[in-house]
Amino acid sequence: MKKFTFLILMIVAACSTEQKEMTNNVQSLSTVEQHRPVFHFTPPSMWMNDPNGMVFYEGEYHLFYQHFPDSTVWGPMHWGHAVSKDLVNWEHLPIALYPDSLGYIFSGSAVVDWNNTSGLGDKANPPMVAIFTYHDPLGVEKGTDTYQTQGIAFSLDKGRVWEKYAENPVLENPGIKDFRDPKVFWHEKTKKWVMIFAAQDRVKIYHSANLKEWTFASDFGENSGNHGGVWECPDLFVLDNPSQPNRKQWVMLVSINPGGPNGGSATQYFLGDFDGEVFTNVNPDSSTLWVDYGKDNYAGVTWSDIPKADGRRIFIGWMSNWQYANKVPTEKWRSAMIFPRTLSLSDTELGLRLVSKPVAEISKLREKMTTLEAETINVSKDISLKSSTFEVLLQFDLTNSNAAVFGVTLSNELGEEVKVGYDTNNSEYFINRIKSGKSDFSDSFSGKHVAPRLTDEATMKMRLLVDVASVELFADDGLTVLTEVFFPNKDYDKVSLYTKDGSVNLKEGKFYPLKKPQVSEL
């Protein structure tokens, strides 16, 4: 970007009329837009990518996101903003953070500073603090390595109005490109804030007493995990360890672009120990653990400050892939988020593995259930209820099944289809979108994408969340997950079970049409 263009951007960002202009540009969600998801979060208009700043405060889940309000392709990053009381029904709020003289507002996190360690509020009204990366395009243009720094902003009114800290940046760049995406949390044992962020091919960990002054603690990842691309958007948290009930297990998430299991961007995870300064990987072998094997779940992180009475670790990711995110065939907006998921750990024969399931609040969208009776499926069985947004839960008995392939077909009268299923010969799940509809926008879009089965249980469970432009497969109670988008020329309205080269025994099934949640517009 030329220097004068950036200066104009800064002037516009400072104008009080900018928010009014943005609001006037918002496209009504009541207008029928082809491929607009029904129950997945989307921006009112224009570009969206990484989820940012997820924090729970006084009954509201805050979701910020990377946003460019002036185009449907990536550009100068802002933080868009929405809130929900139940992770299902969303209220869109005005843009929270705008670019300024220090740069664009890249990804980051938010916390509630309950003890007012920052001094930006008081204990009666603790500040909500956002921690984000400044990305200076002028520094990029000049060829420096210090164009990304970390800044903070705070809110004293439940996240409605944000003020940037006057002495930003709070963490200068030591000379590292790709120095970004801070995730901050309070470490109770050391009574310090911890910041983990991405630095090229690893993560860096810093700590602070007040969110304003940071001290380097350690690096992790130079010789661990997948290094097919740049590391981004880390997260670090604890989950219950099912194999040791009295012990918590630390989990680190790290997104990578490219290098995903089916090409392009994806998110890996590590299991380990963390003492407040150093993370030690307990699975240091060469195998990479993936949060989601599908093409379209990236940059996912978790909500901060979920009440202890709830106790869940809730995750959300961007439902796209950098191979084609700027090119997908939508007109007024670009991209959606996955449906929020609860993360947990399962003790498998392979060791501890991460489990993902849709949050329980999905039940708020369910309409009248249809039960699928036990029977043997041979070739095909129509289970369609003429719904293009639904949840289906299936259990198959593999004991006496002999099909080489079986699963679910989503299709329309144009002959377009997506197949979601299991290949018994290769012991892998798949999503096949070769005939899914529009795909000429990218050579990297069409294809069959696979994921391993991580258990040999005789009963196989497949749970699908299907929206007008996406499918999320949760197999074996969430041990294996695939998420993919698609763009049929006409919404899929037919659902069928199918087999190839044999039959499969359906033990039971449940089919729920999913209704449109409430979305409050600006």
Side-chain angles (χ1 to χ4, degrees):
M1 176 180 287
K2 299 297 184 182
K3 183 174 182 180
F4 75 87
T5 303
F6 183 68
L7 293 176
I8 291 173
L9 172 65
M10 296 303 102
I11 294 171
V12 173
C15 294
S16 60
T17 58
E18 183 174 15
Q19 184 58 58
K20 180 179 179 182
E21 292 173 0
M22 185 279 297
T23 301
N24 290 339
N25 285 334
V26 170
Q27 301 293 333
S28 172
L29 295 184
S30 62
T31 303
V32 175
E33 301 172 69
Q34 190 178 31
H35 311 310
R36 169 81 78 169
V38 170
F39 62 90
H40 288 82
F41 180 88
T42 56
S45 65
M46 304 302 172
W47 172 267
M48 177 181 76
N49 58 290
D50 305 0
N52 296 153
M54 291 108 70
V55 62
F56 182 89
Y57 184 59
E58 292 193 359
E60 293 180 326
Y61 296 91
H62 289 260
L63 171 60
F64 302 87
Y65 52 90
Q66 292 285 277
H67 181 47
F68 183 33
D70 298 323
S71 176
T72 55
V73 298
W74 189 95
M77 285 291 97
H78 304 53
W79 271 25
H81 190 195
V83 294
S84 174
K85 294 184 183 300
D86 59 7
L87 296 167
V88 172
N89 302 288
W90 291 94
E91 176 186 357
H92 290 287
L93 296 177
I95 289 173
L97 297 174
Y98 288 85
D100 59 36
S101 61
L102 294 178
Y104 305 158
I105 311 297
F106 271 21
S107 290
S109 54
V111 296
V112 179
D113 184 9
W114 294 104
N115 295 315
N116 194 35
T117 62
S118 63
L120 298 173
D122 55 54
K123 287 191 176 182
N125 186 22
M128 187 183 295
V129 181
I131 308 94
F132 55 87
T133 295
Y134 271 119
H135 177 90
D136 178 13
L138 297 183
V140 176
E141 188 176 287
K142 293 175 182 177
T144 70
D145 290 338
T146 58
Y147 52 81
Q148 291 183 343
T149 58
Q150 316 312 317
I152 64 174
F154 65 97
S155 173
L156 300 175
D157 63 351
K158 297 182 63 175
R160 267 55 180 182
V161 176
W162 289 86
E163 180 179 344
K164 290 170 184 162
Y165 181 51
E167 297 182 39
N168 276 336
V170 295
L171 182 57
E172 296 280 2
N173 189 315
I176 302 172
K177 292 182 179 180
D178 300 312
F179 184 78
R180 61 174 185 256
D181 309 336
K183 180 63 187 288
V184 170
F185 63 94
W186 179 256
H187 188 256
E188 184 62 31
K189 188 170 290 187
T190 58
K191 303 295 182 184
K192 291 181 180 179
W193 296 101
V194 173
M195 177 194 294
I196 179 173
F197 60 90
Q200 292 186 315
D201 64 345
R202 66 198 72 182
V203 299
K204 290 187 175 292
I205 296 173
Y206 283 67
H207 57 75
S208 171
N210 59 15
L211 292 168
K212 297 184 291 188
E213 297 159 334
W214 293 90
T215 301
F216 174 74
S218 64
D219 287 334
F220 170 77
E222 181 181 6
N223 299 308
S224 299
N226 187 297
H227 287 273
V230 175
W231 282 23
E232 297 185 307
C233 302
D235 197 354
L236 183 59
F237 51 85
V238 292
L239 293 175
D240 290 334
N241 186 331
S243 62
Q244 301 179 52
N246 296 321
R247 183 174 180 270
K248 297 289 187 178
Q249 179 67 59
W250 284 91
V251 180
M252 181 187 292
L253 310 182
V254 179
S255 289
I256 184 169
N257 177 50
N262 282 290
S265 39
T267 303
Q268 59 187 319
Y269 69 94
F270 304 90
L271 303 175
D273 297 316
F274 181 64
D275 62 4
E277 295 195 355
V278 176
F279 178 85
T280 304
N281 187 7
V282 298
N283 290 322
D285 59 33
S286 59
S287 61
T288 301
L289 305 177
W290 297 105
V291 173
D292 190 317
Y293 288 84
K295 294 275 284 189
D296 297 306
N297 182 3
Y298 190 60
V301 285
T302 62
W303 261 272
S304 300
D305 292 282
I306 298 295
K308 289 184 179 180
D310 181 321
R312 291 178 295 176
R313 178 59 56 172
I314 302 174
F315 168 93
I316 197 169
W318 176 47
M319 197 157 59
S320 195
N321 190 308
W322 279 117
Q323 289 180 327
Y324 43 76
N326 281 290
K327 304 174 184 178
V328 296
T330 60
E331 294 181 2
K332 298 178 181 179
W333 90 101
R334 275 235 168 86
S335 64
M337 298 297 181
I338 66 168
F339 193 79
R341 300 174 184 177
T342 301
L343 301 182
S344 61
L345 292 171
S346 179
D347 194 6
T348 75
E349 293 182 1
L350 300 172
L352 290 179
R353 291 294 183 267
L354 195 65
V355 168
S356 303
K357 295 180 181 180
V359 293
E361 289 86 342
I362 187 71
S363 62
K364 292 189 173 190
L365 298 178
R366 289 173 174 170
E367 297 188 308
K368 185 178 179 181
M369 180 185 74
T370 296
T371 299
L372 307 178
E373 301 296 338
E375 65 174 293
T376 298
I377 309 298
N378 193 352
V379 183
S380 180
K381 175 181 173 58
D382 185 2
I383 61 170
S384 175
L385 295 178
K386 299 299 180 184
S387 174
S388 58
T389 59
F390 61 88
E391 176 184 14
V392 61
L393 296 90
L394 304 168
Q395 290 191 34
F396 298 97
D397 182 0
L398 304 186
T399 305
N400 296 310
S401 299
N402 61 5
V405 176
F406 63 91
V408 178
T409 302
L410 315 174
S411 61
N412 60 25
E413 63 185 22
L414 302 178
E416 297 168 340
E417 65 179 23
V418 167
K419 289 186 177 293
V420 182
Y422 182 69
D423 182 331
T424 59
N425 294 326
N426 294 310
S427 299
E428 59 188 19
Y429 295 99
F430 64 84
I431 296 178
N432 185 334
R433 59 184 185 188
I434 292 174
K435 297 169 60 179
S436 63
K438 300 169 186 173
S439 63
D440 58 357
F441 53 86
S442 171
D443 292 339
S444 300
F445 185 81
S446 180
K448 177 182 177 182
H449 307 123
V450 301
R453 190 178 191 217
L454 302 179
T455 179
D456 58 3
E457 291 284 337
T459 296
M460 173 183 287
K461 298 178 182 179
M462 296 174 65
R463 181 180 186 183
L464 280 67
L465 293 188
V466 177
D467 210 332
V468 295
S470 65
V471 58
E472 297 170 85
L473 168 65
F474 303 88
D476 299 314
D477 290 320
L479 268 179
T480 299
V481 183
L482 289 114
T483 301
E484 305 227 342
V485 298
F486 42 75
F487 303 96
N489 288 286
K490 184 178 180 181
D491 290 352
Y492 298 138
D493 60 0
K494 182 178 180 181
V495 187
S496 59
L497 304 182
Y498 82 98
T499 67
K500 179 182 178 182
D501 297 333
S503 61
V504 65
N505 295 320
L506 176 69
K507 291 181 65 175
E508 63 176 61
K510 298 177 181 178
F511 187 102
Y512 298 94
L514 298 178
K515 63 186 178 182
K516 182 179 178 65
Q518 296 177 356
V519 179
S520 176
E521 303 174 30
L522 284 168

